[in-house]
Amino acid sequence: MVGYKFMGKAHSHAYKDVGMFFDLNADVVMKAICGRDENGVKAAADKFGWESYETDWRKMVARDDIDMVDINAPSDAHKEIALAAIAAGKHVFCEKPLALNLSDAREMLDAAEKAGVKHGVCFNYRFLPAVQLAKQIIEEGRLGEIHHYRATYLQDWLVDPNSPLAWRLKKEVAGSGAHGDLNAHCIDLARFLVGEFDRVIGHSRTFVKERPIPASSSGLSGNGGSEKGEVTVDDATAFLAEFKNGAMGTFIATRFATGRKNGNTFEIHGSKGSIRWDLENLNNLEVYFREDEPNLAGFRTISVTDSSHKYAGNWWPAGHIIGYEHGFVHIVYEFVQHMTGGSGFAPSFRDGVKCQEVLEAVDLSIERGSWVGVDEV
Amino acid sequence: MVGYKFMGKAHSHAYKDVGMFFDLNADVVMKAICGRDENGVKAAADKFGWESYETDWRKMVARDDIDMVDINAPSDAHKEIALAAIAAGKHVFCEKPLALNLSDAREMLDAAEKAGVKHGVCFNYRFLPAVQLAKQIIEEGRLGEIHHYRATYLQDWLVDPNSPLAWRLKKEVAGSGAHGDLNAHCIDLARFLVGEFDRVIGHSRTFVKERPIPASSSGLSGNGGSEKGEVTVDDATAFLAEFKNGAMGTFIATRFATGRKNGNTFEIHGSKGSIRWDLENLNNLEVYFREDEPNLAGFRTISVTDSSHKYAGNWWPAGHIIGYEHGFVHIVYEFVQHMTGGSGFAPSFRDGVKCQEVLEAVDLSIERGSWVGVDEV
Amino acid sequence: MVGYKFMGKAHSHAYKDVGMFFDLNADVVMKAICGRDENGVKAAADKFGWESYETDWRKMVARDDIDMVDINAPSDAHKEIALAAIAAGKHVFCEKPLALNLSDAREMLDAAEKAGVKHGVCFNYRFLPAVQLAKQIIEEGRLGEIHHYRATYLQDWLVDPNSPLAWRLKKEVAGSGAHGDLNAHCIDLARFLVGEFDRVIGHSRTFVKERPIPASSSGLSGNGGSEKGEVTVDDATAFLAEFKNGAMGTFIATRFATGRKNGNTFEIHGSKGSIRWDLENLNNLEVYFREDEPNLAGFRTISVTDSSHKYAGNWWPAGHIIGYEHGFVHIVYEFVQHMTGGSGFAPSFRDGVKCQEVLEAVDLSIERGSWVGVDEV
Amino acid sequence: MVGYKFMGKAHSHAYKDVGMFFDLNADVVMKAICGRDENGVKAAADKFGWESYETDWRKMVARDDIDMVDINAPSDAHKEIALAAIAAGKHVFCEKPLALNLSDAREMLDAAEKAGVKHGVCFNYRFLPAVQLAKQIIEEGRLGEIHHYRATYLQDWLVDPNSPLAWRLKKEVAGSGAHGDLNAHCIDLARFLVGEFDRVIGHSRTFVKERPIPASSSGLSGNGGSEKGEVTVDDATAFLAEFKNGAMGTFIATRFATGRKNGNTFEIHGSKGSIRWDLENLNNLEVYFREDEPNLAGFRTISVTDSSHKYAGNWWPAGHIIGYEHGFVHIVYEFVQHMTGGSGFAPSFRDGVKCQEVLEAVDLSIERGSWVGVDEV
């Protein structure tokens, strides 16, 4: 595994726990974690339960005892590592966004397909029980024809103008801001739930254009944040969308939604019913059916915690909620099963590419000030 | 009508508006309002739209042009006015609690029945659309056998120890505190929804035992609130109940529920479903049915605002909510129809008596420290 | 007053009740109501409490005993009636949208200003206590710089494809569909709360293109709805907006939001705090302040029902909620005070024009497929 | 560790993960798990990550390589195992309720204290961030004097009368039903948050008196559930309480609250503020402060997920919620720190005894039909 910060911790936890709660075709062995800072990665290996560590991902990728590489390094490193891992015949599981841009993403997909390795992108939210239930309801036709899809991804960690200029705020490392980080999730969920995008138009803002440069994270020097640097990604991006099935979509991702911490939500209206969901309350799904008796119709708040719900039965009895990290356990479970003889797996690199297409179509629409077809990019 | 303060305003409004939204058997004519303070009652008559006013209720009760007397004076005056009105052959509609104590209430019931006049008690909450829907669901057997009834009535206007010693805090005028004022509503709703009480046990508290005596409301003297007087009613009363049908009940009424303004709530669990409701959100009813598909069962939040709901169709289109005072319009509508040839009407004085029985059984249980059967009082 | 259906009822109620709950500079006398169908308007006059009725608005406008004309006829009649009333020197209060198009709206504004009569548009939602509180918080600077404004107006009464082709679905009568009917409210609230629009881009859909022609409402013939006619307005319109102050906006109005009855909502994020509100729960406002202690910050659910809140003190004690129609009472109160010597009044026809500008800029953006500056129309 | 079913899994998970998210004084080594069924316990040992397994707890208790024994066997086995473990000088961590009855619980406490071993009871809910915040707010005096405490523990897994006669429904194994299982948690939280109980009075019900005897869980025979056996514990128990500090309490635990899955809630009203919480939404705490500006006071919904909240910083960024099992990780963290040199630990066996006192006082009050002082038992 490459990367040991936020995502590194979430992924490590998933590998550690998946075998305890799920029956796998094969055991997961946590061979090696990789990071550039030796002290940091050594500590992480110990803490998270990896057998060994590497400071050069090339070495890790070359190891014979490793079947699969999990990439959760910053976005600008995804492509090079993935291509090397694929070349070495490893299965590859990669954090989103798949790459810094669409052409890189396509190159990665091509390489993986040609090499015949298994590939996946970590759109972890697909694998929460509430989202699985939403998918099932829609596939069974119980919402009817879909008319509206509205999504938000609301965070507020950048509202403070003195919040430092982290790597996520530099275009050359992160590729994008709220758009690539947050809208990527919303786009993937929309594709998963209601289908492909037709055309989009958006706008974006960088509300705070300069931020303090953080002191060196290794703590050696004391430049203390008095200098400022330019923020080169968006703080917020919103867009309108039209889906190929005729539905209208509204999307907004922002890191300036004061008071909203992790508001990844969707609300879907169809001709027969509606669904809504909020990641901060991820154990509930709200569903409305027009077919209910008129005086008894209302949004039902369904606790997706009993064993009638996918994955929920592997955890605790009804009403004993699960948390954010459980989505990673589920996606890792599915990917491991896929690697070891299971049927198909999505989201694959193809889904990573498709998501990137929409992201870039939005970027292009912002540049042009007019609608852009997703097939144009 | 006797009384022109909070309840006087709510009742006046009901008489004024009922004909606009409902089709009545006969027109409502607002003949006269009565109060002891001439300036006050004159102003109220003008403001509220009464044709005339009286300062002596005996005169009003004697007037030939009046068919019905509405009593919303302080509780200690209910009995005398009601008996006089009944003696004069008027129909009587009385605020709750019906009387200061059970024997007075029974006397009023007897008098009304013997005289053959129509009589009603203003348990207005029965007539909200959500409560009507709850009633219908239960009567149709859709909750099955009732196991649990939990009610609260949570207010906080006495939390401030400097809140003055109003008439509602004096036993000789009000009869009771939170118990008679608020639990009375909860008891009536419970009787309406799940049936008669079997036995009860309670406890109560007066958290603040002395409060400033308010300056004379006529403004003549200036004793200014520096003197304190004793609070002689309860600030809060809670009790356990067993219903004749075997259900368990929990009730609490308090004026010390900091932050809760008018939290008249109930939650009912039956063998087939559950219901919950909160007066502060009175346009919604939450309902759960076990018969729903297991993975789609959840509390439904039903907006009782469309024309499939009782009374709602007389107001506005779906989703256009109504408020607190609408319950008075509905109860007045039902009582006027009852007086003018409609079928029966409940809550009658009989319901006032039944409610009083439970209130007094609770009081007796507090005295004794043990369970008291409602049939004992 | 012209019109006696849904809005006619809501306005009549306001005139009837306003004097009971508010102290006015002058008494309101309900002189005459006007409608084309004599039986219908006669019944409405009786029911709603108007002294007389007219079947020709020209007659009503000409009457000497009338000081103010309230226009809530279908939108295509607004202009002609308003201009005649203004010419007759009457004050004019008009339902939204002010006119079928911007040039008509501007003509009405010009006429009213030249004649020096008082003029108002019935954007009633401004006058709900929660919206007043939102305004106050923003004006005091407690949200800081505004970054985001998101509004929805979600109804579902057209989801059923057999719902008839009402006048609201014909462009020549209604001017517009969800956009003019619902987005008009959202645009006005946005202008009221965060300021003027800079540019917009939208899209819209008519999901059901043909609907049954309703049988004659007079019930004479029996054409029974078997014929279908074309829907010539939008079922849903969404748009992105940029405000002059730099804030990003997202708006959606739809009559196809299955399960949502009257979901007029806004959520505003500023550099210091956030606000959100939903008309279906209109007695609450949710507010977040960044300045709260970090571990105690959270959205506060404020019950705007006590006397510290504008208009609330004129009704009931804390926690006793008000309903949809109260907004009309408040706006009528303000307009009557304005007519009789009060200071200014907004929303005036000028606000009606400003709203129309945004509506038309959105329409133009849909035609062009690119952003349109509000100053361009 | 003794036991490998629901609690066995939750505890095992805690030992497995605690070192990954918390810095411990010493490493946790998962030595051995114990159960009577060899196949079952062997599989659990593999799955959960224990080094070895035992089928006789006496052997496990005797092993030299074990420092601490975790008892989550059925309640009737707690005492014997605990006493043996204490005798062997092991630290003991025991599931609640501590014992089948008060005298057993006291014996266990005495033994542990005399032996000088560390002892704890698994009241895991104390260790959720929201509960920790509630504790802190109360300790800082920000609720003022406490007037009301209301608790519920609402489940519905027994509403179906065909639900089998599990061990939890037999008095000789479980000791008690909803009371000992669920009220135990509520009592502990109440003691933790507002202090000691003074006196109580309760009632209880067994709604379904006979249930199908489950087929042998080893699957050997096929008695198939056609026979019925008697339920010897309560389905629901409610009680009123008075606290030593004068507060009034209301408690209800039930397994018949249709639609409520795990509704462990409390609401606390003090002279300066209020708090409420629900386990099914455990990442939020709702708090009201009277000291807020009057027109801005409201319950705040605090997301206890950022690093300003206890334990939260060890997991994920703000808004990334945690689940039910995290409480076990936290309590295990605290107990391990306590064993290895940390300061004190509560809840200890003393808290287990105190909880048992209240449980038994309630039972006695049910028997007597009158109030029972907790000091009497």
Side-chain angles (χ1 to χ4, degrees):
Chain A
M1 194 172 79
V2 190
Y4 62 93
K5 296 292 175 73
F6 174 18
M7 280 303 116
K9 191 172 166 187
H11 289 226
S12 295
H13 173 265
Y15 294 114
K16 189 182 184 87
D17 275 16
V18 63
M20 176 164 175
F21 293 95
F22 290 83
D23 293 323
L24 294 163
N25 297 334
D27 285 351
V28 168
V29 186
M30 294 169 70
K31 283 290 174 187
I33 188 168
C34 178
R36 281 169 295 191
D37 176 51
E38 179 156 7
N39 289 330
V41 71
K42 184 166 188 293
D46 278 359
K47 194 105 188 133
F48 300 168
W50 294 89
E51 292 184 358
S52 63
Y53 68 89
E54 301 284 354
T55 55
D56 179 351
W57 59 261
R58 285 170 193 82
K59 277 197 193 155
M60 194 183 69
V61 162
R63 278 172 59 167
D64 284 343
D65 61 343
I66 287 176
D67 297 319
M68 163 197 174
V69 175
D70 178 324
I71 304 167
N72 51 69
S75 309
D76 61 336
H78 288 188
K79 176 182 156 188
E80 195 179 2
I81 303 174
L83 293 181
I86 290 165
K90 312 299 188 196
H91 304 306
V92 184
F93 185 69
C94 186
E95 253 306 317
K96 42 60 53 181
L98 188 53
L100 282 189
N101 56 58
L102 182 55
S103 74
D104 283 1
R106 285 178 176 154
E107 191 179 339
M108 290 161 74
L109 169 61
D110 283 350
E113 289 192 334
K114 274 177 197 150
V117 300
K118 313 280 185 170
H119 46 97
V121 182
C122 190
F123 287 120
N124 48 308
Y125 297 132
R126 288 193 185 197
F127 297 88
L128 292 169
V131 177
Q132 290 286 320
L133 177 59
K135 173 73 171 172
Q136 180 192 335
I137 289 169
I138 292 169
E139 286 204 332
E140 289 172 0
R142 299 186 65 162
L143 294 197
E145 185 188 339
I146 304 299
H147 295 129
H148 291 292
Y149 190 94
R150 287 197 307 286
T152 69
Y153 206 133
L154 306 174
Q155 298 186 338
D156 72 354
W157 56 281
L158 287 183
V159 167
D160 183 348
N162 294 317
S163 194
L165 188 66
W167 69 260
R168 286 176 186 267
L169 305 186
K170 294 183 202 162
K171 193 175 177 59
E172 64 275 21
V173 186
S176 172
H179 189 46
D181 184 20
L182 306 180
N183 270 336
H185 278 299
C186 298
I187 290 166
D188 183 67
L189 286 177
R191 288 185 60 249
F192 180 58
L193 293 171
V194 303
E196 297 301 337
F197 286 71
D198 184 15
R199 60 175 201 154
V200 292
I201 184 157
H203 63 154
S204 73
R205 281 279 188 283
T206 303
F207 295 109
V208 173
K209 295 187 171 51
E210 289 198 324
R211 291 182 177 275
I213 297 172
S216 155
S217 64
S218 61
L220 291 180
S221 64
N223 60 6
S226 60
E227 273 181 79
K228 290 207 171 186
E230 198 191 350
V231 175
T232 49
V233 299
D234 58 298
D235 287 333
T237 295
F239 64 99
L240 303 176
E242 295 179 3
F243 290 85
K244 291 202 188 290
N245 65 9
M248 298 170 76
T250 315
F251 292 78
I252 180 163
T254 178
R255 291 158 170 171
F256 272 70
T258 306
R260 300 293 293 264
K261 303 306 174 188
N262 205 22
N264 179 5
T265 76
F266 56 76
E267 181 158 359
I268 309 173
H269 302 299
S271 57
K272 294 185 180 173
S274 292
I275 283 181
R276 57 189 184 210
W277 181 74
D278 181 349
L279 176 61
E280 291 194 58
N281 194 4
L282 63 89
N283 293 272
N284 286 341
L285 187 74
E286 292 186 88
V287 182
Y288 181 95
F289 294 122
R290 270 185 67 216
E291 70 182 9
D292 282 340
E293 297 155 85
N295 68 336
L296 294 175
F299 275 91
R300 305 173 183 194
T301 302
I302 301 169
S303 175
V304 296
T305 53
D306 68 39
S307 58
S308 72
H309 295 285
K310 197 158 183 191
Y311 306 125
N314 291 74
W315 299 97
W316 317 108
H320 295 71
I321 71 169
I322 61 171
Y324 160 74
E325 76 255 37
H326 296 70
F328 291 94
V329 179
H330 302 163
I331 195 173
V332 158
Y333 163 69
E334 298 290 357
F335 193 73
V336 169
Q337 293 300 83
H338 174 57
M339 286 199 310
T340 54
S343 50
F345 176 84
S348 70
F349 278 16
R350 183 164 298 278
D351 296 286
V353 166
K354 286 283 183 189
C355 179
Q356 200 72 30
E357 283 173 5
V358 180
L359 289 169
E360 291 204 11
V362 172
D363 284 335
L364 191 58
S365 80
I366 295 173
E367 229 178 279
R368 289 190 191 164
S370 61
W371 291 87
V372 171
V374 172
D375 297 339
E376 291 179 48
V377 295
Chain B
M1 192 172 80
V2 190
Y4 62 91
K5 297 293 177 70
F6 173 19
M7 280 303 116
K9 190 172 166 187
H11 289 227
S12 295
H13 173 265
Y15 295 115
K16 188 183 186 85
D17 275 16
V18 64
M20 174 165 177
F21 294 95
F22 290 85
D23 292 323
L24 294 163
N25 297 334
D27 285 351
V28 168
V29 186
M30 294 170 69
K31 282 292 173 187
I33 188 169
C34 178
R36 280 168 297 190
D37 175 51
E38 179 156 5
N39 290 330
V41 73
K42 184 166 188 293
D46 279 358
K47 194 104 187 135
F48 300 168
W50 294 90
E51 292 183 358
S52 64
Y53 68 89
E54 301 284 353
T55 56
D56 180 351
W57 60 261
R58 285 170 193 82
K59 279 200 192 150
M60 192 182 70
V61 161
R63 280 173 57 167
D64 283 343
D65 60 344
I66 287 177
D67 297 319
M68 165 197 172
V69 175
D70 178 324
I71 305 167
N72 50 70
S75 310
D76 61 336
H78 288 187
K79 176 183 157 188
E80 195 179 1
I81 303 173
L83 291 181
I86 289 165
K90 313 297 190 200
H91 304 305
V92 184
F93 184 69
C94 186
E95 253 306 317
K96 43 63 47 183
L98 189 52
L100 281 187
N101 57 57
L102 182 55
S103 75
D104 283 1
R106 284 177 177 156
E107 192 179 338
M108 291 162 72
L109 170 61
D110 283 351
E113 289 193 333
K114 274 176 197 149
V117 300
K118 312 280 185 172
H119 46 96
V121 181
C122 190
F123 287 119
N124 49 307
Y125 298 132
R126 288 193 185 199
F127 297 88
L128 292 169
V131 176
Q132 290 286 320
L133 177 59
K135 174 73 170 171
Q136 180 191 335
I137 289 169
I138 292 169
E139 285 202 334
E140 289 172 359
R142 298 186 64 162
L143 295 197
E145 186 188 338
I146 305 299
H147 295 130
H148 291 292
Y149 190 94
R150 286 196 309 285
T152 69
Y153 207 133
L154 307 174
Q155 299 186 338
D156 71 355
W157 55 282
L158 287 183
V159 167
D160 182 349
N162 293 319
S163 194
L165 190 65
W167 71 260
R168 285 176 187 268
L169 305 187
K170 294 185 202 162
K171 192 176 179 57
E172 64 276 20
V173 186
S176 173
H179 189 46
D181 184 20
L182 306 180
N183 271 336
H185 278 299
C186 298
I187 289 166
D188 183 67
L189 286 177
R191 288 186 59 250
F192 180 58
L193 293 171
V194 304
E196 298 299 339
F197 286 71
D198 184 17
R199 61 174 199 154
V200 293
I201 183 156
H203 63 154
S204 73
R205 281 277 189 283
T206 304
F207 294 110
V208 172
K209 295 189 170 51
E210 289 198 322
R211 290 183 178 275
I213 297 172
S216 155
S217 64
S218 60
L220 291 179
S221 64
N223 59 8
S226 60
E227 272 181 80
K228 291 206 170 185
E230 197 190 351
V231 175
T232 50
V233 299
D234 59 297
D235 288 332
T237 294
F239 64 99
L240 302 176
E242 295 180 3
F243 290 86
K244 290 201 189 293
N245 66 9
M248 298 171 76
T250 315
F251 292 77
I252 180 163
T254 178
R255 292 158 169 172
F256 272 71
T258 306
R260 300 292 294 262
K261 303 305 172 188
N262 206 22
N264 179 5
T265 76
F266 55 76
E267 181 159 1
I268 309 173
H269 302 298
S271 57
K272 294 185 179 173
S274 291
I275 281 181
R276 56 189 184 209
W277 181 73
D278 180 351
L279 176 61
E280 291 194 57
N281 194 4
L282 63 88
N283 293 273
N284 288 341
L285 187 74
E286 293 185 87
V287 182
Y288 182 97
F289 294 122
R290 270 185 67 214
E291 69 183 8
D292 282 340
E293 295 155 86
N295 67 336
L296 294 176
F299 275 91
R300 304 174 184 193
T301 302
I302 302 169
S303 175
V304 296
T305 53
D306 68 40
S307 58
S308 72
H309 296 284
K310 197 158 184 191
Y311 306 125
N314 292 73
W315 298 97
W316 317 108
H320 296 71
I321 71 169
I322 60 171
Y324 161 75
E325 76 254 37
H326 296 69
F328 290 95
V329 179
H330 303 163
I331 194 172
V332 158
Y333 163 69
E334 296 290 357
F335 193 73
V336 169
Q337 294 298 84
H338 174 57
M339 286 199 311
T340 54
S343 50
F345 177 84
S348 71
F349 278 15
R350 183 164 297 279
D351 296 287
V353 166
K354 286 284 182 189
C355 178
Q356 201 73 29
E357 284 173 5
V358 180
L359 288 169
E360 291 203 11
V362 171
D363 284 335
L364 191 58
S365 81
I366 294 172
E367 229 179 279
R368 288 189 191 164
S370 61
W371 290 87
V372 171
V374 172
D375 298 339
E376 289 179 49
V377 295
Chain C
M1 192 172 80
V2 189
Y4 61 92
K5 296 293 176 70
F6 173 19
M7 279 304 116
K9 191 172 166 186
H11 289 226
S12 295
H13 173 265
Y15 294 115
K16 188 183 185 87
D17 275 16
V18 63
M20 175 164 177
F21 294 94
F22 290 83
D23 293 323
L24 294 162
N25 296 336
D27 285 350
V28 168
V29 186
M30 293 168 71
K31 282 290 173 188
I33 187 169
C34 179
R36 281 168 296 190
D37 175 53
E38 179 156 6
N39 290 329
V41 72
K42 184 167 188 292
D46 278 359
K47 193 106 189 132
F48 300 169
W50 294 90
E51 292 183 359
S52 64
Y53 68 88
E54 300 284 354
T55 55
D56 179 351
W57 59 261
R58 285 169 194 82
K59 279 199 193 152
M60 193 182 70
V61 162
R63 279 172 57 166
D64 283 346
D65 61 342
I66 287 177
D67 296 320
M68 163 198 173
V69 175
D70 178 324
I71 304 167
N72 51 69
S75 310
D76 61 336
H78 288 187
K79 177 182 156 187
E80 196 180 1
I81 304 174
L83 293 181
I86 290 166
K90 312 299 188 197
H91 304 306
V92 184
F93 185 68
C94 186
E95 253 306 317
K96 43 60 52 182
L98 188 52
L100 281 188
N101 55 59
L102 182 55
S103 75
D104 283 1
R106 284 177 177 156
E107 192 179 338
M108 290 161 73
L109 170 61
D110 283 351
E113 289 192 333
K114 274 175 197 149
V117 301
K118 311 280 186 172
H119 45 96
V121 182
C122 190
F123 288 118
N124 50 308
Y125 297 132
R126 289 194 185 197
F127 297 88
L128 291 170
V131 177
Q132 290 285 320
L133 177 59
K135 174 74 170 171
Q136 180 191 335
I137 289 169
I138 292 169
E139 285 203 333
E140 289 172 0
R142 299 186 65 162
L143 295 197
E145 185 189 339
I146 304 299
H147 294 128
H148 291 292
Y149 190 93
R150 285 197 308 286
T152 69
Y153 207 133
L154 306 174
Q155 298 185 338
D156 70 355
W157 56 281
L158 286 184
V159 167
D160 183 349
N162 295 317
S163 194
L165 189 65
W167 70 261
R168 285 176 186 268
L169 305 187
K170 295 184 203 162
K171 193 175 178 58
E172 63 275 20
V173 187
S176 171
H179 189 46
D181 184 21
L182 306 179
N183 270 337
H185 279 300
C186 298
I187 290 166
D188 183 67
L189 286 176
R191 288 186 59 250
F192 181 57
L193 293 170
V194 304
E196 298 300 337
F197 286 71
D198 184 15
R199 61 174 200 154
V200 293
I201 184 158
H203 62 154
S204 72
R205 281 278 189 284
T206 304
F207 295 110
V208 173
K209 295 189 170 51
E210 290 198 323
R211 290 182 179 275
I213 297 173
S216 154
S217 64
S218 59
L220 291 180
S221 64
N223 58 7
S226 60
E227 273 181 79
K228 291 206 170 186
E230 198 190 350
V231 176
T232 49
V233 299
D234 59 296
D235 288 332
T237 295
F239 64 99
L240 302 177
E242 296 180 3
F243 290 86
K244 291 202 188 293
N245 65 9
M248 298 170 76
T250 315
F251 293 77
I252 181 164
T254 178
R255 293 158 170 172
F256 272 71
T258 305
R260 299 293 293 263
K261 304 305 174 188
N262 206 22
N264 179 5
T265 75
F266 56 75
E267 181 158 2
I268 309 172
H269 302 297
S271 58
K272 293 185 180 174
S274 292
I275 281 182
R276 57 189 184 209
W277 181 74
D278 180 352
L279 175 62
E280 292 194 57
N281 194 4
L282 63 87
N283 293 273
N284 286 342
L285 187 74
E286 293 186 88
V287 182
Y288 182 96
F289 294 122
R290 269 186 66 215
E291 69 182 9
D292 282 340
E293 297 155 82
N295 67 336
L296 295 175
F299 275 91
R300 304 174 183 193
T301 301
I302 301 169
S303 175
V304 296
T305 53
D306 69 39
S307 58
S308 72
H309 296 285
K310 196 158 184 190
Y311 306 124
N314 291 74
W315 298 99
W316 316 109
H320 296 70
I321 71 169
I322 61 170
Y324 161 75
E325 76 256 37
H326 295 69
F328 291 94
V329 179
H330 304 162
I331 193 172
V332 159
Y333 163 70
E334 297 290 357
F335 193 73
V336 169
Q337 294 298 85
H338 174 56
M339 286 200 309
T340 54
S343 49
F345 176 84
S348 71
F349 279 14
R350 183 165 298 281
D351 295 287
V353 166
K354 285 284 183 190
C355 179
Q356 200 73 29
E357 284 173 4
V358 180
L359 288 169
E360 291 203 9
V362 171
D363 284 334
L364 191 57
S365 80
I366 294 172
E367 229 178 280
R368 288 189 190 165
S370 61
W371 290 86
V372 171
V374 172
D375 298 339
E376 289 180 49
V377 294
Chain D
M1 193 173 78
V2 189
Y4 61 92
K5 296 292 177 70
F6 174 20
M7 280 304 116
K9 190 172 166 187
H11 288 226
S12 295
H13 173 266
Y15 294 115
K16 187 182 185 87
D17 274 15
V18 63
M20 176 166 175
F21 294 94
F22 290 84
D23 293 323
L24 294 162
N25 297 335
D27 286 350
V28 169
V29 186
M30 294 169 70
K31 282 291 174 186
I33 188 169
C34 178
R36 281 169 295 191
D37 174 52
E38 180 157 6
N39 289 330
V41 71
K42 185 167 188 291
D46 278 359
K47 193 105 187 134
F48 300 167
W50 294 90
E51 292 183 358
S52 64
Y53 68 88
E54 300 283 354
T55 55
D56 179 351
W57 60 260
R58 284 168 195 85
K59 278 198 193 153
M60 193 182 69
V61 162
R63 279 171 57 167
D64 283 344
D65 60 342
I66 287 176
D67 296 320
M68 164 197 172
V69 175
D70 178 325
I71 304 168
N72 51 69
S75 308
D76 62 335
H78 288 187
K79 176 183 157 188
E80 195 180 0
I81 302 174
L83 293 181
I86 291 165
K90 312 298 188 198
H91 305 305
V92 184
F93 185 68
C94 186
E95 253 305 317
K96 42 60 54 181
L98 188 53
L100 282 188
N101 56 58
L102 182 55
S103 76
D104 283 2
R106 284 177 176 155
E107 192 179 338
M108 290 160 73
L109 170 61
D110 284 350
E113 289 193 333
K114 273 176 198 151
V117 300
K118 312 281 185 172
H119 46 95
V121 181
C122 190
F123 288 119
N124 48 307
Y125 297 131
R126 290 193 185 197
F127 297 88
L128 291 169
V131 177
Q132 291 285 320
L133 177 59
K135 174 74 171 171
Q136 180 192 336
I137 289 168
I138 293 169
E139 285 202 334
E140 290 172 1
R142 298 186 65 163
L143 295 197
E145 186 187 339
I146 304 299
H147 294 129
H148 291 291
Y149 191 94
R150 287 196 309 286
T152 69
Y153 207 133
L154 306 174
Q155 298 185 338
D156 72 354
W157 55 282
L158 287 183
V159 167
D160 182 349
N162 294 318
S163 193
L165 188 65
W167 72 261
R168 285 175 186 268
L169 305 186
K170 294 184 202 162
K171 193 176 177 59
E172 64 274 21
V173 186
S176 172
H179 190 46
D181 184 21
L182 306 180
N183 270 336
H185 279 298
C186 298
I187 291 165
D188 183 67
L189 286 177
R191 289 185 58 251
F192 180 57
L193 293 170
V194 303
E196 297 300 336
F197 286 72
D198 184 16
R199 61 174 199 154
V200 292
I201 184 156
H203 63 154
S204 72
R205 281 280 189 282
T206 303
F207 295 110
V208 172
K209 295 187 170 54
E210 289 198 324
R211 290 183 178 275
I213 297 172
S216 156
S217 64
S218 61
L220 291 179
S221 65
N223 59 7
S226 59
E227 274 180 78
K228 291 205 169 186
E230 198 190 351
V231 175
T232 49
V233 300
D234 59 296
D235 288 332
T237 295
F239 65 98
L240 303 176
E242 295 180 3
F243 289 85
K244 291 203 187 291
N245 65 10
M248 298 170 75
T250 314
F251 292 77
I252 180 163
T254 178
R255 292 158 170 171
F256 272 70
T258 305
R260 301 291 295 263
K261 304 305 175 188
N262 206 22
N264 179 6
T265 75
F266 56 75
E267 181 158 1
I268 309 173
H269 303 298
S271 57
K272 294 185 179 173
S274 291
I275 282 180
R276 57 190 183 208
W277 181 74
D278 181 350
L279 176 61
E280 292 194 57
N281 195 4
L282 63 87
N283 292 273
N284 287 342
L285 188 74
E286 293 186 87
V287 182
Y288 182 97
F289 294 122
R290 270 185 66 215
E291 70 182 9
D292 282 339
E293 296 154 86
N295 67 337
L296 294 175
F299 275 91
R300 304 174 183 192
T301 301
I302 302 168
S303 175
V304 296
T305 53
D306 69 38
S307 58
S308 71
H309 296 285
K310 197 158 183 191
Y311 306 126
N314 293 74
W315 299 98
W316 316 109
H320 296 70
I321 71 169
I322 61 170
Y324 161 75
E325 77 255 37
H326 295 69
F328 290 94
V329 179
H330 304 163
I331 194 173
V332 158
Y333 163 68
E334 296 290 356
F335 193 73
V336 168
Q337 294 299 83
H338 174 57
M339 285 200 310
T340 53
S343 49
F345 177 85
S348 71
F349 278 16
R350 182 165 297 279
D351 295 287
V353 165
K354 284 284 183 190
C355 179
Q356 200 73 29
E357 284 173 5
V358 180
L359 288 168
E360 291 205 9
V362 172
D363 284 335
L364 191 57
S365 81
I366 294 172
E367 229 179 279
R368 288 189 190 164
S370 61
W371 291 86
V372 171
V374 171
D375 298 339
E376 290 179 48
V377 297

